[in-house]
């Protein structure tokens, strides 16, 4: 969601923190701000509603805001509109402290009331302002800034990743986390704080992932991590193993388009080194489960949000078909509050690109509290779900910056197909089928590339629907979740209302919507339910509906029922979603781009939803 960057060292903090939050802008982009302690020891705060460019435009020249300790923030509003006064950093009554915060202070109303009764003056509608005044309250009683922050945080209910500077302590930067990611970057004579490693990767690859309830005090030449109770923490330094080229747009106009085009490689990265065609199986060592433990699994639950939830639905098809193990799929936001029943020998899989989604994380903790084994399928190495799960699989898709998830989806489904083969081979999947399935997984990158090569045609088709107000996506079986995903892609970046439906359900209601203005996107590859979906399309056509079909190469019949057809190569039924989703991603992209919209930063959205 929001993004935090902090710096303490020998260089000017302003450009470093500003560049840093620009790299995090995809996480929240309704307002931004920065604070530094200048050479005279004064606290300087600048903030602006709108994108970071608005802040940059109004900043004085770098010499005028020179300081070697600073913090910056890009915001996705939770409490209070995205106005200048509600933007971060927030300050206290005496303008000595500046605080940036990700997360939600749930008891901020009570804290604010109490502090106002002690004559603290509030100016914003935010929860964060209560925390900076609370820290001021304790800082008035001690010279030890760390202690003041510790005392304040002990009274906070909710989640936070924070960074704080003080003009009374110009050689310190304090940061702490609970439920919102925060990372310490260790450079040469300088330190960084960030909510996402991509903001600081150009400066250092040496990082410490802070844990919940930890607080770090950065001095100019040293750092100390403690708990809120001031117990020293011996943290592990990790080295980030990717570089800055993976977070550049390169020749592409948008990150989303770049990420769509990366899929031949990202899918290959998901299976590389994990497939063993000679043994007709796969190996996923990160699951941390013995063969015997895997064989004992009686039931799976898969829990996720958004696009990851769509891949979970496909996972159900895959695992039930190949391994004959029953799978339930749940929205994380429902699971966590529903007191879920987790029978013995059940494993719960949590899918999250970011590994930080608040609902998915809370659902995982709930499952673990009930004694279940929790496995994570995540992209971000070192993310909270990756660290707190009992085992899991990284999808290795590379950083996904476009707010609309694309490559993470195909990689998640690739991993789920491998889990299905693994469990299937331990149950009743034959070696012959296991081997042919693995071979087909290996062919996916090439087949994805073939679809990407039809990109120009998909752009032409997009032109025909840019003025649509609504769209319907139909699919059956394993392609029903693909219909949901295609509709989600279109609505989130083009703002055209779109719904995904199981094709046969259409006649039970949505058929009433069909007219000559309504595009219907039908996912109709050549499989055992092809004839059924053709019947559904004839029902649409009979009502003058406009049909865009996704069909298997060589299918001539589909054209009779469609205004346009996008062809995908043939593959095994349960692997189809990895191919059929690609044209839908491109279609959504081109519609949004042709409508002149900000594809990478659609309105109201943010990457990685770390609040409830
Ligand atoms: C849609 C999208 C979201 C995310 C959802 C879960 O394009 O990106 O629906 O899929 O917020 O995010 P993760 O996978 O990070 O838990």
């Amino acid at each position: 969601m929001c993004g935090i960057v902090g710096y303490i060292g020998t260089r000017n903090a302003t450009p470093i923190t500003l560049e840093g939050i620009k790299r995090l802008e995809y996480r929240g982009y309704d307002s931004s701000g920065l604070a530094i302690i200048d050479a005279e020891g004064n606290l300087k705060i600048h903030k602006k509603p709108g994108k970071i460019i608005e802040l940059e435009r109004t900043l004085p020249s770098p010499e005028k805001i020179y300081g070697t300790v600073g913090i910056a923030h890009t915001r996705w509003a939770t409490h209070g509109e995205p106005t200048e006064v509600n933007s971060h950093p927030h300050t206290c009554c005496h303008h000595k402290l500046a605080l940036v915060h990700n997360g939600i202070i749930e008891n901020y109303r009570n804290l604010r009331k109490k502090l106002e009764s002690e004559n603290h003056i509030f100016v914003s509608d935010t929860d964060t302002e209560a925390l900076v005044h609370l820290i001021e309250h304790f800082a008035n009683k001690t010279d030890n800034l760390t202690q003041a922050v510790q005392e304040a945080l002990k009274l906070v209910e909710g989640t936070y990743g924070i960074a704080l500077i003080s003009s009374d302590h110009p050689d310190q930067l304090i940061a702490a986390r609970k439920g919102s990611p925060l990372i310490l970057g260790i450079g040469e004579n300088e330190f960084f704080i960030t909510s996402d490693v991509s903001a600081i990767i150009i400066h250092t690859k040496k990082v410490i992932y802070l844990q919940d309830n930890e607080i770090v005090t950065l001095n100019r030449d040293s750092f100390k991590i403690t708990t809120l109770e001031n117990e020293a923490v011996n943290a592990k330094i990790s080295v980030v193993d990717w570089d800055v080229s993976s977070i550049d747009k390169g020749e592409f106009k948008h990150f989303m388009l770049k990420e769509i085009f990366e899929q031949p490689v990202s899918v290959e990265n998901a299976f590389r080194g994990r497939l063993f065609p000679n043994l007709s199986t796969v190996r996923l060592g990160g699951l941390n489960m013995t063969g015997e433990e895997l064989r004992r699994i009686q039931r799976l639950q898969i829990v996720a949000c958004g696009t990851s939830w769509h891949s979970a639905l496909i996972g159900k098809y895959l695992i039930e078909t190949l391994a004959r193990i029953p799978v339930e799929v749940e929205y994380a936001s429902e699971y966590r509050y529903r007191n879920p029943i987790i029978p013995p020998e059940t494993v719960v899989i949590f899918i999250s690109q970011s590994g930080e989604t608040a609902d998915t994380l809370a659902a995982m903790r709930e499952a673990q509290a009930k004694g279940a084994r929790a496995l994570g399928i995540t992209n971000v190495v070192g993310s909270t779900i990756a660290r707190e799960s009992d085992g899991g699989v990284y999808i290795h898709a590379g950083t996904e910056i476009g707010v609309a998830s694309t490559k993470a989806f195909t990689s998640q489904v690739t991993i789920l197909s491998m889990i299905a083969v693994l469990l299937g081979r331990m149950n009743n999947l034959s070696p012959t089928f296991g081997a042919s399935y693995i071979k087909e997984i290996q062919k996916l990158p090439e087949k994805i590339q073939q679809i990407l090569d039809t990109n120009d045609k998909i752009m032409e088709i997009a032109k025909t629907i840019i003025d649509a107000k609504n769209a319907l996506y139909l699919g059956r079986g394993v392609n029903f979740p693909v219909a949901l995903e295609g509709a989600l892609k279109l609505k989130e970046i083009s703002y055209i209302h779109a719904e995904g439906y199981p094709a046969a359900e259409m006649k039970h209601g949505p058929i009433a919507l069909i007219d000559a203005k309504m595009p219907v996107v039908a996912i109709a590859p050549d499989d055992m339910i092809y004839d059924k979906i053709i019947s559904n399309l004839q029902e649409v056509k009979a009502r003058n509906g406009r049909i865009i079909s996704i069909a298997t190469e060589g299918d001539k019949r589909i054209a009779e029922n469609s205004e346009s057809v996008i062809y995908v190569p043939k593959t095994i039924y349960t692997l189809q979603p990895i191919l059929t989703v690609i044209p839908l991603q491109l279609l959504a992209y081109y519609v949004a781009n042709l409508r002149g919209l900000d594809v990478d930063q659609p309105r109201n959205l943010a990457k990685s939803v770390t609040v409830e």
Side-chain angles (χ1 to χ4, degrees):
M1 300 229 89
C2 311
I4 288 178
V5 181
Y7 174 81
I8 182 165
T10 52
R11 297 189 277 159
N12 188 0
T14 303
I16 294 174
T17 53
L18 198 61
E19 286 306 312
I21 56 168
K22 276 197 210 158
R23 295 215 180 263
L24 302 189
E25 198 170 19
Y26 69 103
R27 294 177 149 261
Y29 34 82
D30 59 37
S31 52
S32 62
L34 64 80
I36 54 145
I37 312 286
D38 72 10
E40 281 77 50
N42 299 313
L43 178 66
K44 292 273 161 69
I45 299 179
H46 298 270
K47 34 199 209 175
K48 268 277 165 257
K51 299 218 165 175
I52 296 171
I53 185 90
E54 304 301 331
L55 172 70
E56 224 175 351
R57 270 196 200 118
T58 52
L59 280 180
S61 64
E63 311 78 64
K64 290 203 179 133
I65 46 164
Y66 183 92
T68 51
V69 54
I71 52 177
H73 189 262
T74 176
R75 177 169 186 248
W76 186 85
T78 56
H79 293 74
E81 283 174 46
T83 56
E84 184 159 331
V85 79
N86 287 336
S87 312
H88 299 217
H90 288 281
T91 189
C92 55
C93 297
H94 296 97
H95 202 78
K96 289 189 167 175
L97 300 173
L99 176 75
V100 290
H101 165 226
N102 290 354
I104 293 181
I105 314 282
E106 284 163 9
N107 59 338
Y108 81 99
R109 280 199 184 82
N110 289 344
L111 294 173
R112 179 170 176 153
K113 219 158 139 194
K114 187 156 185 308
L115 289 158
E116 279 176 335
S117 73
E118 291 168 13
N119 300 326
H120 284 261
I121 309 288
F122 282 69
V123 294
S124 79
D125 307 320
T126 66
D127 53 334
T128 306
E129 200 187 359
L131 180 55
V132 74
H133 284 278
L134 189 62
I135 296 171
E136 179 182 44
H137 167 86
F138 287 106
N140 286 340
K141 299 181 181 172
T142 171
D143 269 352
N144 184 332
L145 187 59
T146 308
Q147 194 190 338
V149 179
Q150 284 166 331
E151 293 309 317
L153 291 179
K154 282 181 198 162
L155 300 180
V156 163
E157 287 163 24
T159 56
Y160 54 79
I162 58 162
L164 174 100
I165 55 175
S166 162
S167 55
D168 281 345
H169 301 265
D171 298 320
Q172 276 192 341
L173 191 161
I174 312 258
R177 78 157 267 178
K178 183 181 165 202
S180 195
L182 212 60
I183 297 147
L184 162 64
I186 303 167
E188 295 288 323
N189 303 318
E190 57 187 6
F191 298 104
F192 305 83
I193 283 293
T194 181
S195 50
D196 181 333
V197 131
S198 57
I200 59 167
I201 189 94
I202 54 165
H203 303 294
T204 183
K205 289 188 173 185
K206 271 167 60 182
V207 298
I208 291 175
Y209 296 96
L210 295 179
Q211 310 287 331
D212 278 354
N213 299 311
E214 287 181 358
I215 171 164
V216 58
T217 306
L218 302 174
N219 296 307
R220 290 191 184 274
D221 53 2
S222 64
F223 69 89
K224 188 172 177 202
I225 303 177
T226 61
T227 62
L228 295 190
E229 282 67 41
N230 207 30
E231 287 149 10
V233 172
N234 225 340
K236 179 173 155 264
I237 298 179
S238 310
V239 179
V240 179
D241 67 354
W242 47 274
D243 64 45
V244 75
S245 63
S246 62
I247 49 172
D248 276 339
K249 274 200 288 245
E251 76 212 49
F252 291 93
K253 183 171 176 196
H254 291 105
F255 279 108
M256 182 180 175
L257 191 61
K258 174 181 177 244
E259 287 158 10
I260 292 173
F261 273 82
E262 276 171 357
Q263 289 175 105
V265 176
S266 54
V267 164
E268 182 147 9
N269 286 344
F271 66 68
R272 178 175 292 123
R274 290 166 163 169
L275 302 178
F276 294 86
N278 298 342
L279 300 171
S280 309
T281 193
V282 305
R283 277 203 197 127
L284 298 167
L287 295 179
N288 291 336
M289 290 178 76
T290 62
E292 202 192 320
E293 285 170 332
L294 287 166
R295 262 186 294 274
R296 271 210 308 267
I297 298 176
Q298 292 297 311
R299 179 177 291 274
L300 284 156
Q301 296 175 346
I302 314 184
V303 181
C305 304
T307 288
S308 298
W309 184 78
H310 297 156
S311 50
L313 290 177
I314 297 165
K316 175 180 167 73
Y317 273 92
L318 282 158
I319 294 167
E320 290 190 345
T321 308
L322 272 63
R324 309 302 297 153
I325 296 173
V327 182
E328 289 168 74
V329 174
E330 294 242 21
Y331 283 116
S333 51
E334 295 295 319
Y335 188 88
R336 62 182 290 196
Y337 288 116
R338 187 176 65 71
N339 196 13
I341 298 171
I342 311 177
E345 311 299 353
T346 301
V347 166
V348 193
I349 299 178
F350 296 86
I351 308 181
S352 173
Q353 186 284 128
S354 61
E356 301 292 350
T357 299
D359 284 324
T360 313
L361 181 59
M364 184 175 89
R365 288 176 176 158
E366 178 59 26
Q368 286 173 317
K370 289 189 155 58
R373 186 191 289 264
L375 301 178
I377 298 181
T378 55
N379 191 27
V380 178
V381 175
S383 57
T384 311
I385 291 178
R387 282 185 286 111
E388 291 191 14
S389 54
D390 303 302
V393 192
Y394 281 121
I395 63 173
H396 295 311
T399 312
E400 190 179 68
I401 290 181
V403 164
S405 185
T406 52
K407 62 177 178 173
F409 176 79
T410 43
S411 296
Q412 288 164 350
V413 179
T414 306
I415 297 295
L416 288 162
S417 72
M418 291 194 287
I419 292 177
V421 173
L422 178 71
L423 297 176
R425 290 286 295 119
M426 290 181 163
N427 290 295
N428 49 13
L429 200 67
S430 74
T432 321
F433 187 80
S436 61
Y437 204 89
I438 286 170
K439 271 203 193 118
E440 200 50 39
I441 293 178
Q442 287 170 319
K443 287 183 197 153
L444 289 170
E446 192 188 321
K447 293 184 178 182
I448 294 172
Q449 189 57 52
Q450 281 176 41
I451 305 169
L452 294 173
D453 292 343
T454 64
N455 169 44
D456 288 346
K457 181 177 174 194
I458 299 172
M459 186 167 66
E460 289 307 314
I461 296 172
K463 285 182 187 162
T464 67
I465 61 166
I466 54 167
D467 295 322
K469 299 270 181 290
N470 299 287
L472 195 59
Y473 283 66
L474 302 177
R476 295 188 73 147
V478 78
N479 281 304
F480 162 54
V482 177
L484 294 177
E485 177 60 8
L488 178 64
K489 289 292 88 97
L490 188 74
K491 66 185 140 194
E492 67 185 330
I493 58 170
S494 76
Y495 317 142
I496 295 174
H497 169 246
E499 293 299 330
Y501 246 83
E505 275 294 301
M506 183 191 61
K507 57 185 172 295
H508 297 288
I511 198 163
L513 297 170
I514 296 198
D515 62 17
K517 289 193 201 129
M518 171 86 135
V520 176
V521 180
I523 304 137
D526 185 6
D527 55 32
M528 68 273 190
I529 40 178
Y530 175 77
D531 286 332
K532 305 273 175 213
I533 201 159
I534 289 288
S535 310
N536 302 139
L537 296 191
Q538 278 159 351
E539 291 155 13
V540 174
K541 205 174 164 206
R543 285 151 186 90
N544 293 324
R546 306 173 49 192
I547 300 171
I548 299 169
S549 296
I550 314 299
T552 306
E553 268 167 9
D555 177 358
K556 301 222 166 54
R557 207 171 131 204
I558 195 101
E560 292 164 20
N561 295 297
S562 316
E563 184 178 292
S564 31
V565 185
I566 305 167
Y567 289 101
V568 299
K570 194 166 179 63
T571 187
I572 290 176
Y573 174 64
T574 44
L575 290 177
Q576 281 175 2
I578 298 173
L579 302 183
T580 50
V581 79
I582 309 280
L584 305 188
Q585 296 170 342
L586 283 168
L587 192 65
Y589 171 79
Y590 285 119
V591 171
N593 189 41
L594 290 162
R595 283 163 73 103
L597 298 170
D598 189 345
V599 173
D600 281 335
Q601 293 172 1
R603 72 181 177 210
N604 305 340
L605 296 180
K607 194 85 179 157
S608 182
V609 186
T610 52
V611 294
E612 265 193 66

